[in-house]
Amino acid sequence: MPVGGLIPRAADDAADVIVRNAKIHTGDSSRPHAGALAIRDGRVAVVGDDADIAPFVGPATTVVDALGRRVVPGLNDAHLHVIRGGLNYVLELRWDGVTSLRQGLAMLREQAARTPKGQWVRVVGGWSAEQFAERRLPTPSEMNAAAPDTPVFVLHLYQTAILNRAALQAVGYTRDTPEPKGGQIVRGRGGEPTGMLLAAPSALVLYSTLAKAPTLGDEDKKTSTRHFLRELNRFGLTSAIDAAGGFQNFPDNYSVVTELAQEGLLSLRIAYHLFPQTPGQELDDLARWIEMVRPEDGDEWLRLNGAGENLIWAAADFENFAEPRPELGRHYEAEFEKAVRLLMEHGWGFRLHATYDETIRRDLAVFEKLAAEGLFPGGNRWLFDHAETVSRDSLDRVAALGGAMSVQNRMSFQGEAFTRRYGLGAAAEAPPVRAMLERGLTVGAGSDATRVSTYNPWVALHWLVTGRTLGGAVLRPPQNRVDRETALAMYTKAGAALTGEEEVKGILRPGFLGDLAILSDDYFTVPEQDIPHIESVLTVVGGRIVHAAAEYEGLDEELPAISPSWSPVAQFGGYRSSPRSGLPGVRQAELLGQAIAESEEHLLWRARRGLAPDASRTFFDPCFSP
């Protein structure tokens, strides 16, 4: 199509997609800015201006006018449970971005009315009580009122699950149900479960209860995964590193993404990890997998990246910040050493879930023992995930052993709970991102979605830049924040380095993969408080337009209809974008009225429980009292 004087010409080297009239942040230090680029055969062919890309316009070239918008390399979430999230996406009611509990309960009530008998309503992660105007969780009685007959399961971080009466009956929890290991079933006076489950500190009771819910059939799992990947593309994500996780079995739960890859239907590049599921047989699982697959098996769309984020269950330090730090077994190192040795000797990299420095120090001692045999640094990629309380000394040891780090914005969801337990000083350093970067470590950034944080990467980028929680608390001071360009590099170049793809992905340079996003707002100039509201209006992966909105609507690939038809996603979608700052007066007044109504409802709720003065009496402004 001719755009602004660009005339199609027959050419053997014509581009598939051209983006022009753009403010391109390439991420490439040799040419950081450009106005246009061309993609051919899935790779960036030319980066420059209109004159540079004009010779590559052919009759079949899609020419996209960015209308002066910001273009960035495709985002790469370095820690996302994308495979598990995709298998369940259409079954979940998302409270991501919902601003009031009142709204969340209304959504729950509406969804329960359309959910057929035998199915559940489930809210599984991506939200925090601190994001609500009411600053609290729903109660079991509120959930019973909203859904008296349909089982409802609501997961809050790694801390709590709330079940209504119908869900308790569905899972069979009674006064005779024994307490789960590492968890607690909260009970009333007569010993009957109230509907509250607590991770104390292990989240196993939360996940094992959720695992009792109905699952999708094979075809619906494929449809669900495609819609989840499109939802990720909506925010400019073009790659993710899947961190595996509990109840994600290999190879069974990997078959859907494998089939989609074989059919050319993935819209997100996935590098995946393998996570032993059964305590006591971790070494057997790892040994079996080493015979089945090897790191980097696959292609640019789907590839194995190693083991983890657990290698053995005894070394996992659960991070429920509402509970004390778990005390790990005194002698887990012997089995842990066997697992690490097995992986390193066979060329496997790995990632390790490690929240606390106490765990990291013990793991490093094992690595240093193996380093004496030449296994560290041995050329295999390995990293620590999370690391909220890692010390400077431990970071020095990680650097010496050739490791890397991956941080997530869990503190934007759990920061208040962390602060109550460990204090503001510790929260200011959780995790010490700047200290990691100053040591020259590769530091990837991600979300840990979907069962803790939301998958919206701009929420994580906002946290990296501002240090703010969802509730607005500023926990990380300026000296432990990063600038916007560094944060973006952590979400692009660093993620590529963690999968060994830094020479083909993460920046926009000729020869690199043609992955990019045209943004709704300029990430580099938009007010800080509006960073979480950014979305992509056009996302390109390997020259394929995988998401298109605004002026570009209809340019992306058509998806099959959401199935089942009663899916919460069919009615509510995924992430709920909240209003931006600088709203027009009428909209501000509407939101203020909504906030007042929610505040009054919260006051009545507190008064009924004796937590506030009687809210039924009339209040007068003392300035106008007689």
Side-chain angles (χ1 to χ4, degrees):
M1 54 181 288
V3 178
L6 296 180
I7 308 301
R9 61 186 71 177
D12 293 336
D13 58 354
D16 300 310
V17 174
I18 281 176
V19 177
R20 63 176 296 272
N21 190 20
K23 293 184 293 186
I24 301 175
H25 172 81
T26 66
D28 181 1
S29 59
S30 64
R31 182 164 191 169
H33 306 290
L37 61 77
I39 299 172
R40 184 180 62 237
D41 297 330
R43 302 270 178 151
V44 176
V46 180
V47 177
D49 55 26
D50 277 2
D52 297 314
I53 55 94
F56 297 90
V57 180
T61 301
T62 299
V63 180
V64 176
D65 187 335
L67 301 173
R69 291 187 173 103
R70 174 66 66 187
V71 174
V72 298
L75 302 186
N76 184 348
D77 190 318
H79 186 119
L80 177 65
H81 298 278
V82 60
I83 294 174
R84 186 175 66 192
L87 297 177
N88 297 283
Y89 176 62
V90 301
L91 290 176
E92 295 174 353
L93 176 66
R94 304 301 304 182
W95 281 355
D96 309 44
V98 173
T99 56
S100 75
L101 179 57
R102 183 184 188 184
Q103 180 186 2
L105 287 170
M107 294 166 65
L108 194 154
R109 184 180 300 107
E110 184 179 341
Q111 181 58 36
R114 73 164 57 86
T115 301
K117 185 177 178 60
Q119 292 289 342
W120 291 23
V121 177
R122 56 198 96 181
V123 179
V124 186
W127 64 282
S128 167
E130 301 298 333
Q131 80 192 45
F132 291 152
E134 299 89 341
R135 302 296 176 108
R136 67 175 180 86
L137 303 178
T139 66
S141 61
E142 286 174 322
M143 288 169 47
N144 289 331
D149 303 312
T150 304
V152 177
F153 176 98
V154 174
L155 178 69
H156 183 241
L157 310 175
Y158 281 144
Q159 299 176 5
T160 307
I162 310 159
L163 284 68
N164 69 345
R165 189 178 302 111
L168 286 173
Q169 293 171 353
V171 299
Y173 290 166
T174 69
R175 72 173 65 205
D176 299 321
T177 302
E179 290 298 310
K181 183 178 180 180
Q184 180 183 353
I185 300 172
V186 179
R187 303 173 192 270
R189 298 185 191 91
E192 292 291 342
T194 64
M196 299 289 290
L197 305 180
L198 302 180
S202 168
L204 185 61
V205 63
L206 313 181
Y207 288 172
S208 61
T209 302
L210 178 60
K212 299 176 186 290
T215 59
L216 293 167
D218 291 342
E219 282 304 309
D220 282 346
K221 286 178 180 176
K222 290 179 69 173
T223 300
S224 177
T225 297
R226 292 188 66 187
H227 278 274
F228 183 50
L229 300 186
R230 174 67 61 85
E231 173 75 352
L232 299 176
N233 299 149
R234 168 189 165 195
F235 295 100
L237 282 162
T238 60
S239 294
I241 307 177
D242 185 85
F247 298 92
Q248 183 171 310
N249 293 297
F250 180 81
D252 298 346
N253 293 135
Y254 293 72
S255 61
V256 167
V257 291
T258 301
E259 290 177 23
L260 290 175
Q262 292 169 344
E263 297 168 16
L265 294 176
L266 289 179
S267 64
L268 186 90
R269 305 183 192 277
I270 301 172
Y272 62 88
H273 286 254
L274 301 184
F275 181 131
Q277 296 294 311
T278 306
Q281 73 173 52
E282 298 97 332
L283 291 175
D284 292 337
D285 286 341
L286 292 172
R288 185 173 70 256
W289 295 339
I290 285 170
E291 296 299 319
M292 295 172 62
V293 288
R294 58 185 179 179
E296 300 183 8
D297 271 358
D299 56 23
E300 296 162 349
W301 287 95
L302 184 67
R303 59 197 282 132
L304 173 65
N305 199 49
E309 58 182 295
N310 271 7
L311 300 185
I312 65 168
W313 279 91
D317 59 353
F318 302 104
E319 71 294 346
N320 177 4
F321 297 135
E323 294 281 336
R325 177 179 61 83
E327 293 294 335
L328 301 184
R330 295 178 60 186
H331 305 294
Y332 78 74
E333 283 87 349
E335 287 298 299
F336 182 69
E337 179 183 333
K338 292 177 184 177
V340 175
R341 180 187 298 277
L342 178 67
L343 294 170
M344 296 298 283
E345 288 178 345
H346 287 84
W348 276 56
F350 58 87
R351 66 191 310 157
L352 286 172
H353 172 113
T355 301
Y356 302 99
D357 190 54
E358 289 82 355
T359 306
I360 292 171
R361 290 201 306 266
R362 291 178 66 175
D363 293 351
L364 287 170
V366 172
F367 301 162
E368 287 162 345
K369 178 182 177 182
L370 295 175
E373 303 177 29
L375 292 179
F376 286 85
N380 299 348
R381 291 185 302 276
W382 67 273
L383 61 97
F384 281 114
D385 275 307
H386 313 312
E388 274 83 2
T389 72
V390 66
S391 66
R392 266 72 172 165
D393 175 68
S394 292
L395 291 176
D396 290 336
R397 295 165 70 187
V398 171
L401 292 166
M405 306 298 296
S406 177
V407 299
Q408 299 75 41
N409 63 311
R410 303 190 308 178
M411 286 291 286
S412 65
F413 287 77
Q414 304 181 79
E416 285 83 358
F418 184 97
T419 302
R420 285 191 290 270
R421 180 162 297 279
Y422 299 109
L424 283 169
E429 289 285 299
V433 178
R434 288 282 286 273
M436 297 174 184
L437 294 169
E438 287 165 359
R439 283 157 175 78
L441 291 166
T442 296
V443 185
S447 63
D448 202 10
T450 60
R451 293 183 175 178
V452 180
S453 307
T454 181
Y455 48 75
N456 180 350
W458 302 103
V459 174
L461 285 159
H462 174 262
W463 170 78
L464 284 167
V465 169
T466 69
R468 287 186 180 272
T469 69
L470 265 63
V474 180
L475 299 184
R476 292 168 47 245
Q479 59 267 31
N480 195 31
R481 302 177 206 161
V482 296
D483 61 68
R484 298 189 195 200
E485 185 171 353
T486 300
L488 185 63
M490 293 169 66
Y491 241 100
T492 51
K493 287 190 284 189
L498 293 181
T499 57
E501 298 173 281
E502 62 269 35
E503 296 301 320
V504 296
K505 189 165 68 173
I507 63 175
L508 296 173
R509 174 193 288 173
F512 277 57
L513 296 173
D515 302 350
L516 61 84
I518 303 177
L519 304 182
S520 60
D521 300 273
D522 190 340
Y523 164 69
F524 292 104
T525 61
V526 72
E528 283 186 348
Q529 65 268 26
D530 285 335
I531 292 175
H533 304 295
I534 295 173
E535 296 187 14
S536 172
V537 294
L538 191 87
T539 305
V540 178
V541 186
R544 289 169 48 203
I545 297 175
V546 296
H547 165 75
E551 294 86 356
Y552 314 109
E553 187 171 353
L555 289 180
D556 50 3
E557 303 159 352
E558 186 175 4
L559 292 181
I562 293 174
S563 177
S565 59
W566 52 266
S567 162
V569 176
Q571 177 65 22
F572 300 107
Y575 185 91
R576 306 275 288 186
S577 297
S578 55
R580 303 170 184 276
S581 61
L583 294 168
V586 172
R587 182 60 179 143
Q588 284 182 332
E590 291 174 353
L591 292 172
L592 181 60
Q594 178 182 332
I596 291 171
E598 291 163 353
S599 179
E600 290 174 348
E601 185 173 292
H602 189 203
L603 180 59
L604 290 170
W605 181 88
R606 289 171 56 81
R608 287 194 296 269
R609 288 155 179 79
L611 301 175
D614 183 3
S616 62
R617 65 185 180 89
T618 304
F619 290 90
F620 293 96
D621 188 326
C623 292
F624 295 93
S625 299

